[in-house]
């Protein structure tokens, strides 16, 4: 596959100039920015494994950890490339109630950087949970995702990568790959489940079915 046809019209990105112009860690781009709605370009093969590219990944990891988040796609720092980083650290996973952890399939996801990712659902099974996005601050909503996916692509050095993921890691990589296609979780959410941060602790104590009953199809709306 080449970088031309699917992204025609998107200007080429000059990584070296971008790095030179960087005074501090870049902010996370918020919804409304065009870069979050465009299809990102494939990362050019010639940059893989180079010092500037490894530097870019280092910056993305730092921005993700500081946010803090469990994934960050390149367009979220304004870079129109098909690249994301993801990580769900031990201490975060361990801090969750065991029941929640098991229900969501939340397991440690070691740090990964994925170039030109390709996702294939492993089964028809879906999982519905709240998810949020660093580019849509202050909200979360229920989103149905494939319960398990095969993730293909390249690593930072251009070596082929293939891994099968389920549970929360499967959700993370679907969310991040969506970013590379100009899609935000709000495009996929159960719209009536949209919840502000302040409501999440309360909603988190309910089951997904209870949340759906309360917000998406409350009995009071039945004719
Ligand atoms: Zn996001």
């Amino acid at each position: 596959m080449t970088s031309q046809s699917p992204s025609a019209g998107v200007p080429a990105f000059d990584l070296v100039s971008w790095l030179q112009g960087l005074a501090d860690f870049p902010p996370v781009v918020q919804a409304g920015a065009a870069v979050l709605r465009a299809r990102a370009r494939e990362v050019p093969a010639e940059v893989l494994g180079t010092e500037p590219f490894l530097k870019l990944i280092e910056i993305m990891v730092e921005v993700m950890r500081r946010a803090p988040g469990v994934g960050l796609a390149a367009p979220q720092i304004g870079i129109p490339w098909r690249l994301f980083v993801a990580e769900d650290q031990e201490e975060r996973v361990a801090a969750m109630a065991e029941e929640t952890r098991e229900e969501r399939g939340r397991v440690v996801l070691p740090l990964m950087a994925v170039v030109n990712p390709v996702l294939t659902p492993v089964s028809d099974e879906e999982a519905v949970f709240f998810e949020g996005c660093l580019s849509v601050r202050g909200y979360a909503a229920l989103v149905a995702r494939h319960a398990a996916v095969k993730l293909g692509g390249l690593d930072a050095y251009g070596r082929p990568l293939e891994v099968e993921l389920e549970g929360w890691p499967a959700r993370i990589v679907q969310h991040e790959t969506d970013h590379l296609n100009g899609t935000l979780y709000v495009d996929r959410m159960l719209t009536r489940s949209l919840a502000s941060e302040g409501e999440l602790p309360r909603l988190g104590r309910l089951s997904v079915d209870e949340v759906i009953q309360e917000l998406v199809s409350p009995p009071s709306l039945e004719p």
Side-chain angles (χ1 to χ4, degrees), residues 72-107:
L72 187 83
Q76 291 185 276
I77 53 166
I79 298 181
W81 275 359
R82 307 187 74 75
L83 161 71
F84 71 77
V85 295
E87 177 186 49
D88 208 356
Q89 290 177 325
E90 174 98 53
E91 54 265 39
R92 278 181 151 229
V93 175
M96 302 185 77
E98 195 180 335
E99 201 189 319
T100 316
R101 200 162 56 208
E102 277 179 15
E103 191 190 19
R104 297 178 192 181
R106 187 122 180 202
V107 292

Side-chain angles (χ1 to χ4, degrees), residues 124-188:
D124 291 338
E125 202 190 324
E126 286 195 328
V128 179
F129 287 112
F130 273 103
E131 73 179 56
C133 177
L134 297 177
S135 295
V136 188
R137 258 187 230 130
Y139 292 92
L142 292 175
V143 182
R145 297 284 187 187
H146 298 293
V149 291
K150 196 190 286 174
L151 169 66
L154 303 173
D155 72 7
Y157 296 87
R159 295 174 298 210
L161 166 159
E162 193 177 275
V163 57
E164 214 173 291
L165 299 167
E166 54 179 26
W168 212 256
R171 176 172 297 268
I172 296 171
V173 301
Q174 288 171 82
H175 177 115
E176 299 313 326
T177 303
D178 268 355
H179 272 302
L180 310 180
N181 297 323
T183 297
L184 299 174
Y185 84 85
V186 293
D187 306 334
R188 297 191 184 276

Side-chain angles (χ1 to χ4, degrees), residues 104 130 192-208 210-215:
R104 297 178 192 181
F130 273 103
R192 293 182 54 105
S193 71
L194 182 69
S196 77
E197 247 164 19
E199 290 292 326
L200 287 176
R202 181 183 74 78
L203 294 169
R205 289 191 288 273
L206 305 178
S207 70
V208 168
E210 286 168 332
V211 172
I212 289 176
Q213 202 179 27
E214 188 179 300
L215 300 180

